[in-house]
Amino acid sequence: VSLLIGCTSLLRPPSGSAGITRCGKACYSSCNPKVCIVGSGPAGFYTAQHIIKARQDVEVDIYERLPVPFGLVRFGVAPDHPEVKNVINTFTQTAKHSRCSFYGNVNVGKDVSIDELQQAYHAVVLSYGAEGNRSIGVPGEGLAGVYSAKDFVGWYNGLPNCRELSPDLSCETAVILGQGNVALDVARILLSPIDSLKKTDITQPALEALAQSQVRRVLIVGRRGPMQIACTIKELREMVNLPGTRPEMVATDFEGVAEALKDVPRPRKRLTELMLKTALEKPGEKEQERRNKASRIWGFRFFRSPIEVLADPNHNKIAGIRLAVNKLEGSGEGAQAVLTGEEEDVPCGLVVSSIGYKSLSIDPSVPFDSRKAIVPNIMGRVQQAAGLYCSGWLKTGPTGVIATTMNNSFDTARSLMEDMDSGTLDLSAAKPGSQSISALLEKRGVKPVTFSDWEKIDNVEMMRGEASGKPREKLLKVEEMLQVART
Amino acid sequence: MATSAAVRSSMGLTLRLSRVIPDCSTCSLYRLRSCVNSAANLQRTGSADSFRTINRHLQTSIGLYHSEEGSSNAEDPEDVVNVVYIDRSGQRIPVKAKVGDNVLYLAHKHGIELEGACEASLACSTCHVYVNAAHFDKLPEPEEREDDMLDMAAMLQENSRLGCQIILTPELDGIELTLPKVTRNFYVDGHVPKPH
């Protein structure tokens, strides 16, 4: 009640003074600062969390294109990493805060423009991540049997627009380009015993396809050497310990590596030591026995860049991949791969390109750096665009885990708070926030999905999962999600 | 692995949302009248110190896993562990904790901004803290999985640990836990992190 004192909107009737919205949240004075966040993955939610905690008067609305929230936590984190998904509990708490509202099934850029959002809110934070792929850029890339890791992961994690990927797993050898954690996730899912996958939230179609898979050998290929590998030790350890598999490495790839370890920071040192041990050390009796019994093989191949995907002339699908042999110039993180002129053909039936995600421009009115594929910004403030901010991968590029995105988002939230406190962001005029946007959407025939609607979807998925001993059986089509949301 | 993780995480959530009071009726020790601290036994033996003894028992056993609430108000001085959190702005926040408290959940209880994204399952590094030199060596060695996750933490130092793995013991009295200044806004020396 005392929020109205000193507020300029006293001079005209306040639109949207205290009342209860459809989802039961209190509608405070229209003078409250209103922030809109585009994207409901970790970046969106961590930014929201920090803003809500920092100021007691800010109202935050999160818009999401899909009917379901959580972005890559739901669609990117591997099914056999359920603990990483615990962060959903934190995000759920934020979504249920009285000053936070979730609006799913709203396509920003199509159903509503950034400009319209900026008119309705004091600040707009872009946290929509990176939904595009970096292309390999070689002939044959479009052949059947070549997939981006983003799509492959989306397929086994139930991302609606990857539902029909139907990857052909009838070949013996798969080649993964790239050696980051996503590459290792793909390798691990391809080679995991079906019994371990059966109890996860991997989609049923993917589980069935993997149960029939003939893939027995996965090569994880990188341009540079062991010291430049981008994956982290947890994921490497999981491969080393993967039941039913054995490692197959090229010993010469590791020449000089042990000697170079002396001056290297701890994370790189521990990771490289584990790789060296796996690649070079003679295993103990028990481990040797385990390896002898293993029917599936995995290995790194270093100093190799793709130059062409080779077609099987009779079947219009992939027969192999031609790789250029590199050597390293320089050392450490800055080492460069340089062509030697040598080439190597690797027969395979599946290529998964795991060389990075890429952000896309959402709206021509928003500045976008197409070279770096990010929104140009300083500390999360979008350059040359007042009231516009960005967080997450859209801000820094598509690398980093949830913890990285968390820090990144807190940074943006802090910039936003500074701007509110200093007056850089003009809070004197009241903004209508979701009231006007909801009216716009209704006019356009778009019906948002609320957080409690999502909870209906959540419950249906968990119930369906129970029948097969899985934590959930994900709904795979947007139409199905909307159907459940509307019950 | 998925099942045990699910149990761990749901247990964490349940204990966090409810008051931490054990249900002795489900414990086999109680049923066999073997639990020296259970109310029934103490009534039988007529122990005058029954209340204090029960509290001590509650603290150490439940607290080892998810003591978040600091379950009782009766303060046994031998149970108190003084902890100082130093937040990202350098502010010192002294906290009176108890033996068995978990450093991450203790921070939450006192409104200290230490995130625990994976809820103490060694699947993230968001509860990364620096431990003061005097107490660092008193901590048990980290298990391999903690070291693996620490490797992911920004601004890793020799005295880095994951808060969710630190359980307070009497010898940790006086421990100081500093939250790392991991964000660009806090780089006081003007350091600009390398772009990804």
Side-chain angles (χ1 to χ4, degrees), chain A residues 69-90:
Chain A
F70 309 134
L72 283 178
V73 179
R74 175 178 166 101
F75 295 116
V77 174
D80 57 353
H81 287 167
E83 308 90 350
V84 178
K85 301 189 201 195
N86 284 347
V87 73
I88 285 177
N89 296 329
T90 310

Side-chain angles (χ1 to χ4, degrees), chain A residues 83 86 89, chain B residues 2-22 61-69 102 105 118-121 167:
Chain A
E83 308 90 350
N86 284 347
N89 296 329
Chain B
T3 327
S4 59
V7 168
R8 251 183 293 134
S9 85
S10 69
M11 199 171 98
L13 197 57
T14 311
L15 283 169
R16 223 154 14 112
L17 294 175
S18 66
R19 291 197 48 199
V20 180
I21 297 172
S61 59
I62 304 294
L64 276 171
Y65 297 101
H66 289 281
S67 171
E68 167 141 86
E69 294 282 345
N102 175 302
Y105 296 126
C118 76
E119 295 175 2
S121 3
I167 307 298

Side-chain angles (χ1 to χ4, degrees), chain A residues 46 49 53 80 82-84 86-87 89 199 232-234 237 266-267 270 379 396 399 401 403-404 406-407 410-411 414-415 418, chain B residues 1-2 5 8-9 13 113 115 117-119 121-123 125-126 144 147-152 156 182-186 194 196:
Chain A
Y46 272 129
Q49 176 187 316
K53 219 189 312 193
D80 57 353
E83 308 90 350
V84 178
N86 284 347
V87 73
N89 296 329
K199 298 300 179 188
T232 54
I233 195 170
K234 172 171 175 261
R237 222 184 273 288
R266 178 187 122 155
R270 289 180 77 239
M379 308 257 251
T396 56
T399 60
V401 294
T404 330
M406 178 186 84
N407 291 325
F410 285 175
D411 262 344
R414 214 168 286 116
S415 295
E418 273 170 25
Chain B
M1 186 179 98
R8 251 183 293 134
S9 85
L13 197 57
E113 287 184 356
E115 289 294 321
C118 76
E119 295 175 2
S121 3
L122 289 178
S125 57
T126 58
E144 195 174 66
D147 271 333
D148 286 354
M149 294 324 298
L150 274 171
D151 281 357
M152 306 278 301
L156 188 68
V182 289
T183 56
R184 294 180 61 185
N185 296 26
F186 281 128
K194 201 162 57 107
H196 295 254

Side-chain angles (χ1 to χ4, degrees), chain B residues 2 16 20 22 30 32 38 70-71 79 81 94 98 117 129 133 150 163 176-177:
Chain B
R16 223 154 14 112
V20 180
Y30 174 88
L32 292 170
S38 79
S71 35
D79 265 349
V81 179
K98 292 189 170 52
V129 290
L150 274 171
E176 297 190 356
L177 302 159

Side-chain angles (χ1 to χ4, degrees), chain A residues 263-283:
Chain A
D263 308 308
V264 145
R266 178 187 122 155
R268 177 63 64 187
K269 187 152 182 268
R270 289 180 77 239
L271 172 64
T272 312
E273 280 170 349
L274 179 57
M275 242 194 303
L276 282 172
K277 179 166 177 233
T278 308
L280 303 178
E281 211 178 81
K282 186 160 149 43

